[in-house]
Amino acid sequence: MDRQITKQVAVLVARILRVPPAPANSSNGSLLLGSAGGFDSTKTLELIVAVEQEFGIVINDDEISPDNLGSTENLVRFIVLKQGV
């Protein structure tokens, strides 16, 4: 897993949730979507826009799913895939 992307995702998530960033090693599996993750539909939209801007990718409607956005680990993997790294 790309450590720099993981760190950037942790910062984005913290900024949107208005909490201090979690250490990269503890946030890899953190849930994002659903009540456990703290992301409602508005915060999910904020996350999508922030990820698109930060990483220069486009997230299509059909890509908005727990498989891609359900945890920080899934999101990092998805970003790497979209960037073709």
Side-chain angles (χ1 to χ4, degrees), residues 24-57:
N25 61 352
S26 68
S27 66
N28 283 345
S30 297
L31 293 175
L32 298 178
L33 303 181
S35 59
F39 274 80
D40 59 15
S41 58
T42 301
K43 289 193 184 317
T44 300
L45 182 57
E46 285 181 54
L47 177 65
I48 290 167
V49 170
V51 166
E52 287 180 330
Q53 292 174 346
E54 180 79 17
F55 297 101
I57 62 174

